[in-house]
Amino acid sequence: MADDYTEIKSKLRGSITPVITPFKGDGSIDFEKMSELIEFQLANGTHGISVTGTSGEPSSMTLEEREQVMLNAQQTINGRVPFVPGTGSTNHDETMRLTKKAEDIGADAAMVIVPYYNKPNQQALYKHFKTVADSVEIPIIVYNIPGRTAQNLHVDTLAQLSRDCPNIIGVKESNKDFEHVNRVLQRCGRDFLLFSGIELLCYPMLAIGGAGSVSATANVLPGKVAEMHDAWFDGDVVRAQKLHYELMELNDVLFKDTNPAPVKAALGMMGKIEPHLRLPMDVPSKELQAEIRETLNKYNITVEYA
């Protein structure tokens, strides 16, 4: 297997948007809208695209649908920016299949979540990720989101995986424990890719040496999120800080209900999609929708539909 991932690690930087999965009124996937959303991202300076992660409602889709979404995204992006689909599942064999599919279609890396619901111990997590990584050559970004999975991938476990699996090149940390994320780079090495999945930590993680973020907010305001990263990497700390605080009110309102319901509501108001979710997810309350609409107006985002 290849052991030099220097080139792709240099490309995986900045704002990697976790694009939502648009559904039609009958519940089917709207692939045309998905391509339009990706084009909207690229036109606004987004540095990379991810699909079928948390924001993409993967647990509401069949394996075949997830594969179709990945392929549609890959074809739409067509090499213009790095493509990092989410390929993890609570089921080990499904994770293996989806990660291999990502490799087969030419994705730049695969994002593999800590298995949710079944709460494996650290030894089991090590075996799971190592088995997946050993089965492919595609780079792997581990996705640690304890609030959703009910299990935290310990720094010691991640550090061992980074030593034993050359293609495990980074982690998306949706982890509010900032001491934990500092120790990731201390233990895994400063060249290990650290991405923030917590919106209010996107800027702070850059300051400690992070590679970027995978922020649901970038679905709605991709230009500002990308610009914050550009400012940081250009050395304009004051501008990056300013954008960090500018984004906070939007970040807050988009997480007053479970992601991606508020994000889809916002995109629906913007005329980008029909804001459908698959059960057991549902649209936000009318009160929250009104607050989202008001917030979009504050950001001068055109609201086409009330």
Side-chain angles (χ1 to χ4, degrees):
M1 288 190 174
D3 59 6
D4 185 1
Y5 295 92
T6 304
E7 183 177 356
I8 187 58
K9 288 172 75 172
S10 69
K11 293 178 180 178
L12 287 171
R13 293 277 190 254
S15 174
I16 298 176
T17 302
V19 177
I20 60 95
T21 304
F23 297 122
K24 298 179 182 179
D26 63 2
S28 62
I29 297 170
D30 193 332
F31 290 103
E32 182 178 353
K33 286 294 184 186
M34 168 155 276
S35 294
E36 290 176 5
L37 289 174
I38 291 171
E39 293 295 348
F40 169 64
Q41 289 293 320
L42 300 184
N44 282 276
T46 288
H47 305 111
I49 297 291
S50 181
V51 296
T52 60
T54 302
S55 300
E57 299 173 74
S59 60
S60 298
M61 292 191 282
T62 66
L63 288 178
E64 291 76 16
E65 286 177 325
R66 291 184 66 174
E67 290 174 339
Q68 290 166 3
V69 167
M70 288 195 293
L71 182 59
N72 179 76
Q74 173 74 349
Q75 291 173 341
T76 302
I77 296 163
N78 195 27
R80 288 178 286 175
V81 296
F83 175 47
V84 188
T87 62
S89 166
T90 191
N91 181 288
H92 178 75
D93 288 343
E94 290 179 359
T95 301
M96 296 277 282
R97 168 178 163 174
L98 291 167
T99 305
K100 180 61 176 174
K101 180 68 173 181
E103 180 174 58
D104 289 345
I105 67 173
D108 295 282
M111 191 172 296
V112 183
I113 195 170
V114 169
Y116 38 91
Y117 180 73
N118 41 25
K119 296 180 67 175
N121 62 29
Q122 297 300 305
Q123 176 180 314
L125 288 172
Y126 173 86
K127 289 181 177 179
H128 170 70
F129 282 109
K130 188 174 190 304
T131 303
V132 173
D134 285 350
S135 71
V136 293
E137 292 191 14
I138 190 173
I140 301 293
I141 296 174
V142 174
Y143 180 12
N144 188 31
I145 180 169
R148 291 263 193 167
T149 63
Q151 183 62 286
N152 186 35
L153 182 67
H154 294 176
V155 174
D156 287 347
T157 307
L158 183 60
Q160 189 65 50
L161 284 165
S162 71
R163 289 192 294 270
D164 295 347
C165 307
N167 58 330
I168 293 182
I169 64 170
V171 63
K172 174 187 175 183
E173 284 283 356
S174 293
N175 194 329
K176 293 183 178 181
D177 183 349
F178 203 59
E179 290 187 15
H180 172 102
V181 297
N182 275 268
R183 297 196 184 282
V184 166
L185 290 183
Q186 179 192 39
R187 295 291 308 284
C188 297
R190 296 289 298 280
D191 62 341
F192 196 68
L193 301 182
L194 172 65
F195 293 93
S196 175
I198 299 289
E199 275 60 26
L200 294 188
L201 294 183
C202 291
Y203 172 75
M205 282 201 198
L206 290 173
I208 65 168
S213 68
V214 186
S215 165
T217 301
N219 278 281
V220 177
L221 205 56
K224 286 284 187 185
V225 177
E227 186 183 352
M228 184 189 73
H229 291 79
D230 289 336
W232 173 261
F233 290 122
D234 287 344
D236 191 345
V237 175
V238 173
R239 177 66 176 156
Q241 288 177 344
K242 181 175 182 292
L243 288 162
H244 166 70
Y245 286 105
E246 281 184 16
L247 286 164
M248 281 183 65
E249 186 172 358
L250 182 60
N251 288 333
D252 288 344
V253 78
L254 293 179
F255 284 86
K256 287 193 172 182
D257 195 355
T258 304
N259 179 49
V263 169
K264 282 194 158 183
L267 289 171
M269 294 171 195
M270 295 163 64
K272 299 291 185 186
I273 63 167
E274 296 178 43
H276 302 298
L277 296 97
R278 285 182 174 175
L279 292 172
M281 299 289 287
D282 200 6
V283 297
S285 68
K286 290 183 179 179
E287 293 77 12
L288 180 53
Q289 289 186 48
E291 189 175 350
I292 292 169
R293 189 178 306 109
E294 180 182 350
T295 304
L296 294 179
N297 285 326
K298 289 181 182 179
Y299 282 83
N300 295 316
I301 298 172
T302 301
V303 175
E304 296 188 10
Y305 298 100

